[in-house]
């Protein structure tokens, strides 16, 4: 079993910053990639940022230049540093991890979600 624990969400004023963390534990042989998604009320879930095993990153156009994704491989943890936050960033943010198990089986796992609210 794989368990993801998210933290770091909260309420912040426009222009402020937050840092989200997601730690993975359990039956993990290696992590292929880790990412952050978000879902606002009445909208589809969308990719925010993703970091791959070789260290390359992908960002949504709406967050480029403001958000930074990073990893701590020794701790199986992914972070999302969010700067210059805007009200339209308000959403529930979900961590996603693609894992290779020791058996050779791959799987996708999701965190419980953490609320980010940006006020004007």
């Amino acid at each position: 079993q794989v368990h993801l624990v998210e933290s770091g969400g909260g309420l912040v004023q426009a222009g402020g910053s937050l840092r989200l963390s997601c730690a993975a534990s359990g039956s993990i042989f290696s992590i292929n990639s880790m990412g952050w998604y978000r879902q606002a009320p009445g909208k589809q879930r969308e990719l925010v940022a993703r970091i791959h095993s070789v260290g390359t990153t992908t960002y949504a156009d709406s967050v480029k230049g403001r958000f930074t994704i990073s990893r701590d491989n020794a701790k199986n943890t992914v972070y999302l540093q969010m700067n210059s936050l805007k009200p339209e960033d308000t959403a529930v943010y979900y961590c996603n991890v693609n894992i290779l198990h020791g058996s050779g089986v791959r799987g996708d796992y999701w965190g419980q979600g953490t609320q980010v609210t940006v006020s004007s």
Side-chain angles (χ1 to χ4, degrees):
Q1 297 183 10
V2 175
H3 184 57
L4 306 182
V5 178
E6 299 182 29
S7 62
L11 174 64
V12 66
Q13 290 186 333
S17 298
L18 288 172
R19 190 176 81 153
L20 306 183
S21 299
C22 175
S25 62
S27 181
I28 300 170
F29 180 75
S30 64
I31 295 176
N32 295 319
S33 64
M34 309 179 78
W36 291 94
Y37 296 72
R38 67 187 181 188
Q39 188 166 22
K43 296 185 178 180
Q44 291 186 325
R45 185 166 55 189
E46 64 177 353
L47 172 69
V48 177
R50 196 161 193 91
I51 187 165
H52 305 274
S53 60
V54 296
T56 56
T57 57
T58 301
Y59 294 94
D61 288 341
S62 59
V63 307
K64 287 180 179 177
R66 300 188 297 120
F67 291 10
T68 303
I69 189 169
S70 61
R71 303 176 303 182
D72 185 333
N73 292 333
K75 298 180 179 179
N76 287 332
T77 299
V78 63
Y79 306 94
L80 185 68
Q81 179 66 45
M82 304 185 293
N83 298 325
S84 302
L85 283 161
K86 304 174 180 179
E88 48 262 46
D89 295 318
T90 296
V92 177
Y93 284 69
Y94 297 92
C95 176
N96 172 264
V97 182
N98 185 263
I99 289 172
L100 177 66
H101 298 279
S103 63
V105 175
R106 295 174 60 188
D108 263 359
Y109 300 90
W110 292 90
Q112 79 280 6
T114 184
Q115 177 70 48
V116 171
T117 302
V118 184
S119 65
S120 59

